[in-house]
Amino acid sequence: GTIELSRTSSRFDPFAWDATLTVEPGSFEGDGYVRTLLTGHVRRHSDDLAADIRIGGAAGFVTGGASGQRHFLLGGRETLPGYEYRGFSGSRMAVLDAEVSRDVWRPWLRVRAVAAAGWTGGNTIGRLYLVPIMHEPGSGDYPVDGLPGTDGVRTSVGFGVSGFWDQLRLDLVRGLN
């Protein structure tokens, strides 16, 4: 089972914050583990909802007995934009992101600047494996690649445009290291 504590606020409040703490005890192949994740967001918008700033973060860890699927994967949209999707793994992680946006022609066009930083470490299972979709029988062992940690903090910045009340979004983000 999972234990979760949450605090949410209305998205129409000029200043709002949300936080969630999730604790997941479990076992894998007879070894017990605990996976803990804390997420939070702070938002501030103008009275006319034309401009806003959002800062979000997450931190988590999983103890040693967990399977590879319970480890944290970073990279790509919603975690660490500008890097390969799920390109980093670890039993510990931290992510911080920020977004500043402004209506140009409401509701048809909105612009934004984004930035993110993230870290993973502590791969207690040693390696996570990517299983190939296609493998020819008789060609040897499955080719496997390990998913590394971030080897320090990774950062990214970018900008974007959106339309139709943020329903259609296009972001261009670049990883800096």
Side-chain angles (χ1 to χ4, degrees):
T2 300
I3 301 165
E4 184 173 292
L5 299 172
S6 292
R7 194 266 184 206
T8 59
S9 55
S10 170
R11 67 177 297 224
F12 298 108
D13 291 342
F15 177 80
W17 66 276
D18 304 330
T20 302
L21 172 64
T22 305
V23 179
E24 174 193 319
S27 68
F28 178 68
E29 294 183 346
D31 292 330
Y33 70 88
V34 175
R35 185 176 195 263
T36 303
L37 179 64
L38 176 64
T39 60
H41 297 89
V42 175
R43 296 181 308 277
R44 172 81 173 122
H45 61 74
S46 62
D47 291 336
D48 63 356
L49 301 178
D52 59 36
I53 183 170
R54 186 190 62 77
I55 300 171
F61 69 90
V62 62
T63 59
S67 68
Q69 290 87 349
R70 303 313 304 148
H71 281 224
F72 298 99
L73 299 172
L74 294 186
R77 186 172 167 252
E78 302 296 329
T79 60
L80 195 53
Y83 292 94
E84 181 182 355
Y85 178 69
R86 295 184 170 189
F88 306 107
S89 71
S91 61
R92 300 182 309 269
M93 73 89 182
V95 176
L96 182 66
D97 62 87
E99 177 181 306
V100 177
S101 59
R102 174 84 177 144
D103 286 338
V104 174
W105 183 29
R106 191 174 188 174
W108 311 110
L109 182 64
R110 186 175 182 93
V111 295
R112 86 179 132 276
V114 296
W119 167 85
T120 62
N123 234 343
T124 57
I125 62 168
R127 292 174 59 132
L128 293 176
Y129 295 101
L130 300 175
V131 178
I133 294 172
M134 306 246 333
H135 179 72
E136 290 188 34
S139 62
D141 293 336
Y142 282 118
V144 293
D145 294 319
L147 291 176
T150 56
D151 192 29
V153 176
R154 300 285 179 131
T155 56
S156 61
V157 295
F159 66 93
V161 296
S162 62
F164 310 106
W165 294 280
D166 269 349
Q167 296 302 308
L168 180 63
R169 295 176 63 140
L170 174 65
D171 291 328
L172 298 173
V173 182
R174 175 147 174 86
L176 298 179
N177 49 349

